[in-house]
Amino acid sequence: QVQLQESGPGLVKPSQTLSLTCTVSGGSITTGSYAWSWIRQPPGKGLEWMGVIIYDGRTYYRPSLKRRTSISRDTSKNQFSLQLSSVTPEDTAVYYCVRETKPSTGAEFDYWGQGTQVTVSS
């Protein structure tokens, strides 16, 4: 059974960098055919896909967030991380790490972390 768990500070000041780590168990982040994504949900709004790191290390980002977003990994710890720079209160959301697959009909997200609340406030 694949399990994902987010960790990191729950409060970040405006203009600083939001940093989160996802620890994966029950499956390797380097196994082919899977990718590892970050998705967030602001209060009262829908889910927003932020970006992904593929099993071979390639990354892709939502165009509107690409300038501020970086996803990396530590294969020795089976972890991947999110960094979002220059944050504003609009970045306040519940952040999820997710396993992603790509069937012919589009991406699917089969395993999710519980999510972690991050608030941007001074």
Side-chain angles (χ1 to χ4, degrees):
Q1 184 78 4
V2 175
Q3 294 183 321
L4 301 87
Q5 182 172 318
E6 305 89 349
S7 62
L11 181 65
V12 184
K13 294 181 178 180
S15 82
Q16 295 187 341
T17 296
L18 181 159
S19 297
L20 297 172
T21 296
C22 183
T23 300
V24 179
S25 61
S28 173
I29 62 174
T30 62
T31 297
S33 81
Y34 298 115
W36 307 88
S37 302
W38 288 98
I39 295 171
R40 68 180 182 180
Q41 185 170 34
K45 298 184 179 180
L47 297 168
E48 181 183 51
W49 180 87
M50 301 181 69
V52 60
I53 186 162
I54 310 298
Y55 65 89
D56 63 1
R58 291 176 292 164
T59 56
Y60 301 91
Y61 303 105
R62 185 180 190 89
S64 62
L65 296 175
K66 183 177 181 179
R67 181 183 63 84
R68 300 193 292 132
T69 306
S70 179
I71 298 174
S72 59
R73 65 181 183 174
D74 184 339
T75 58
S76 68
K77 297 180 179 179
N78 211 38
Q79 295 177 329
F80 65 103
S81 299
L82 170 72
Q83 292 188 316
L84 183 67
S85 66
S86 303
V87 298
T88 74
E90 295 298 310
D91 294 310
T92 294
V94 176
Y95 285 75
Y96 300 91
C97 55
V98 184
R99 190 174 81 169
E100 181 175 333
T101 66
K102 288 189 175 296
S104 61
T105 55
E108 293 185 350
F109 307 95
D110 56 357
Y111 289 94
W112 294 63
Q114 292 188 5
T116 186
Q117 172 71 45
V118 179
T119 299
V120 179
S121 176
S122 60

